[in-house]
Each structure stands twice: as C-alpha cells, then as structure tokens.
Amino acid sequence: MNNLSFKTGVETYLSILIIAMNAFLAVVAVGAFLALIGIV
C-alpha cells in the first residue's frame, strides 16, 4: 500500500513538473516572439 502511494506521488510530481516545463517554454516562446516583433 505504501509503495503504491509512493508511486502515485511520483507520477503526480512528474506530471506537475512536465506541465510547469511546458508553461515555462510557452512563456519563453511568447517572449521571443514579442522580442522579434519589437526588433522589426
């Protein structure tokens, strides 16, 4: 039971980490896009 709970916690942590990375990449992409428009 404890092992199952630990496995679920790790999967939840990884999913949150992936979502956070995707959000960060989206912000970086938007920032780079706005910077290119600003340069042009």
Side-chain angles (χ1 to χ4, degrees):
M1 188 63 185
N2 191 14
N3 189 22
L4 181 65
S5 177
F6 175 75
K7 185 172 183 284
T8 303
V10 170
E11 288 177 352
T12 302
Y13 173 76
L14 287 177
S15 64
I16 292 173
L17 187 64
I18 291 171
I19 292 171
M21 284 176 57
N22 286 334
F24 176 73
L25 288 175
V27 170
V28 171
V30 171
F33 184 68
L34 291 177
L36 286 174
I37 292 176
I39 291 171
V40 173

